[in-house]
Amino acid sequence: MSVTPDSFLHPLSATRLPGHYLTPTPTGFTLHMSASPRNLRAVRGLTARSLLDHGAEADLVDAAQLILCELYGNAVRACGDHAPLVAEVETGPAGVWVRLHDPDASRHPRRVPGVRLDDGEAESGRGLPLMDLLTPGWDVVSTPVGKQVRCLLSPDLAGLS
């Protein structure tokens, strides 16, 4: 938890869990955490609260949570349980940015060939096509300490219904 006077007044600052370092920002938050089911639930809740506080529609909140869960799951598959992760969620004029940073720069998300979103027999491989649908143009950048996957969700998800 960052220790600034404003963070004590911010609605997200009430969330205190071991292994978290939460920094509320004017348009969202940054959360340093270790990968675990409890921390996934916590970051999903923070995402919903932050986006709703900033006036996001329910569909956009659901989509941001879905994208964050996909990124989180991919990071755990790449780096293992309890890996250090940094989640960033922020609103802006272009939409909602969802970013997840993990320490393994060598393993990037990979699409499974031949898997479609409507493939009822597929046991995996739908996540990245879903990301393509919800956040076209998402990308991965290498950083000095790993990689960051960056996704921008448009505020207008009406065309997907």
Side-chain angles (χ1 to χ4, degrees):
M1 183 80 188
S2 65
V3 183
T4 64
D6 291 341
S7 71
F8 292 116
L9 302 174
H10 195 283
L12 295 181
S13 66
T15 304
R16 294 175 189 246
L17 292 172
H20 281 202
Y21 187 86
L22 174 64
T23 305
T25 66
T27 59
F29 67 88
T30 300
L31 178 64
H32 296 250
M33 70 195 130
S34 60
S36 72
R38 184 192 69 189
N39 289 344
L40 175 58
R41 283 189 301 277
V43 76
R44 281 179 51 87
L46 284 168
T47 299
R49 258 192 316 223
S50 177
L51 295 179
L52 291 170
D53 286 351
H54 285 90
E57 298 292 327
D59 288 347
L60 189 56
V61 172
D62 291 344
Q65 289 179 309
L66 185 63
I67 292 299
L68 186 61
C69 286
E70 177 61 23
L71 297 178
Y72 198 100
N74 287 346
V76 169
R77 280 186 287 285
C79 304
D81 292 335
H82 307 292
L85 304 176
V86 179
E88 296 175 87
V89 175
E90 67 176 326
T91 59
V96 173
W97 280 101
V98 176
R99 300 178 190 97
L100 192 75
H101 190 269
D102 72 55
D104 190 345
S106 67
R107 297 185 64 187
H108 287 220
R110 221 181 44 221
R111 289 170 181 82
V112 176
V115 175
R116 297 181 332 263
L117 285 173
D118 63 349
D119 185 348
E121 301 298 316
E123 293 182 14
S124 65
R126 291 189 196 96
L128 296 181
L130 184 60
M131 283 176 49
D132 290 336
L133 179 67
L134 294 173
T135 63
W138 63 270
D139 67 352
V140 181
V141 293
S142 294
T143 68
V145 294
K147 70 176 173 291
Q148 184 183 67
V149 183
R150 306 179 301 186
C151 303
L152 177 62
L153 291 115
S154 168
D156 180 23
L157 294 175
L160 300 177
S161 300

